[in-house]
Amino acid sequence: MNEDIPEDTSRNEVGASTPYRTLWAAATTALVVSGALVATAYGVAPAGGGSGATAGAAFGNAELASAATVPVGEQVSPSPSGASSPAPAPSPSSTVSGMAVAPEAVDLEAALAPVAAAAGGGLSVALREVESGAGASYGEEAFDTASIAKVNILAALLVQAQDAGRELTDLEKSQATVMIEKSDNASALALWKTIGRAGGLEAANQRLGVTGTEGGPGDLWGLTQTTADGQLELLEAVFGTTEASPLTEESRTYLQDLMEHVSADQAWGVSSAASDPAETALKNGWLPRTATGLWDINSIGRIESNGHTYLVAALSDGNKTKEAGIETVEAAAKAAVAALSEAAD
């Protein structure tokens, strides 16, 4: 269901902020943490998608359907999104384990320039090649998560359950399954409440080593703000590439398995950069903005490409259509993986 809702225009448009681009690469298991400022999401969201979701519930993204019951999908967002071109980049610098080093051969600025120019909106990408530890990032601005927040919600729930020394309940497991595999919004809202909304998410993220991420206000989990680097940190915790992850092997395997079985109609995004789609673990998010009619399109996951494993996060906003946004994140993922692969050769 769509409806006009009041908006707080005091929030700067994401695309209208002054972005700066950084890139780094290092053969190490340490991930660079960017110091991105996190914008706060304001306003009240209308009812969005979700299998069995009824009007009046607030969700993360929006794929609209019949009036009473809205199918699996995403939420309509209340806040505007800009579509400005990226600002000129400063001289690149890199950091490894807190130590400044000279930039290496991974030039995401050049690799993604054509994609960013064609997109016309905001774009940020972060990735890491698991075997070598080499990684790179482009862009540090914050974006609405939309439904990629569902991975973070489940990771937070698993951390909390581990701390309590309990297993997930049958209901929680059922909600987690449809939340990740079918992007069910009603289940996401239920688990968002279970973890303690934004406060619970942010407390878990301190444990998970996820930075640059601020939970959405109230029940608006889809308006959680995040950066590409923050999402890459989440992927590292989920896929066990860092010893700092508080998730047990059992918890990681559980979440990975759900991400490996997303619905076929949602198998787009960073998976386009995979040479072996069968080994892809994925979660996407799509979010139309009510004020502008523009779309946020995000994709995170693990892919296999030419014998190497990559963790990739691609975030975008200011897309004219959902399809255009999908093309942007897919082109960005392909270009980023190719650039990192070429630098490693």
Side-chain angles (χ1 to χ4, degrees):
M1 176 181 294
N2 277 318
E3 60 188 35
D4 293 329
I5 46 94
E7 301 187 26
D8 186 338
T9 57
S10 64
R11 175 187 171 187
N12 290 329
E13 295 183 358
V14 173
S17 61
T18 304
Y20 59 98
R21 312 293 185 185
T22 63
L23 49 102
W24 57 267
T28 174
T29 56
L31 173 67
V32 176
V33 177
S34 67
L37 294 177
V38 180
T40 304
Y42 298 97
V44 179
S51 179
T54 56
F59 305 123
N61 297 354
E63 182 175 304
L64 306 175
S66 60
T69 302
V70 188
V72 171
E74 318 275 288
Q75 159 192 336
V76 177
S77 163
S79 2
S81 174
S84 60
S85 299
S91 299
S93 61
S94 300
T95 304
V96 179
S97 301
M99 298 173 58
V101 298
E104 300 293 340
V106 184
D107 190 356
L108 286 193
E109 186 74 24
L112 293 174
V115 180
L123 176 66
S124 187
V125 179
L127 76 163
R128 181 178 171 219
E129 198 258 325
V130 172
E131 289 83 3
S132 69
S137 65
Y138 170 90
E140 294 188 354
E141 62 268 40
F143 294 78
D144 293 320
T145 54
S147 274
I148 60 171
K150 292 167 180 172
V151 174
N152 205 167
I153 291 171
L154 183 50
L157 177 66
L158 290 167
V159 168
Q160 291 180 355
Q162 288 175 187
D163 289 347
R166 70 173 183 87
E167 300 291 328
L168 298 188
T169 66
D170 289 341
L171 176 59
E172 288 170 340
K173 290 179 180 178
S174 175
Q175 291 169 333
T177 297
V178 294
M179 177 178 72
I180 300 297
E181 295 185 355
K182 299 183 181 299
S183 204
D184 181 71
N185 292 320
S187 295
L189 179 59
L191 293 180
W192 176 251
K193 293 177 179 179
T194 298
I195 67 171
R197 298 180 171 85
L201 185 83
E202 291 165 10
N205 281 347
Q206 290 184 347
R207 299 273 305 284
L208 291 163
V210 176
T211 63
T213 301
E214 181 178 293
D219 288 344
L220 306 183
W221 51 266
L223 297 187
T224 294
Q225 294 285 292
T226 194
T227 63
D229 283 328
Q231 289 302 294
L232 188 56
E233 292 164 346
L234 176 62
L235 291 172
E236 291 214 326
V238 170
F239 290 95
T241 59
T242 172
E243 294 179 358
S245 175
L247 292 172
T248 64
E249 182 177 356
E250 180 181 5
S251 291
R252 293 195 302 268
T253 300
Y254 174 69
L255 184 42
Q256 291 169 27
D257 181 70
L258 295 180
M259 293 178 69
E260 290 169 357
H261 292 89
V262 297
S263 298
D265 63 343
Q266 296 175 33
W268 47 264
V270 298
S271 58
S272 65
S275 59
D276 187 358
E279 295 299 320
T280 296
L282 181 70
K283 188 70 195 82
N284 297 322
W286 56 102
L287 178 71
R289 313 305 298 267
T290 56
T292 63
L294 302 177
W295 287 75
D296 297 338
I297 302 292
N298 304 321
S299 184
I300 62 173
R302 180 206 67 210
I303 68 168
E304 300 292 327
S305 180
N306 299 318
H308 297 277
T309 303
Y310 297 89
L311 304 180
V312 188
L315 312 181
S316 73
D317 68 5
N319 299 288
K320 292 182 179 180
T321 65
K322 178 182 176 182
E323 292 72 21
I326 291 174
E327 290 179 5
T328 293
V329 296
E330 289 187 341
K334 291 176 182 177
V337 170
L340 190 59
S341 177
E342 290 172 5
D345 291 341

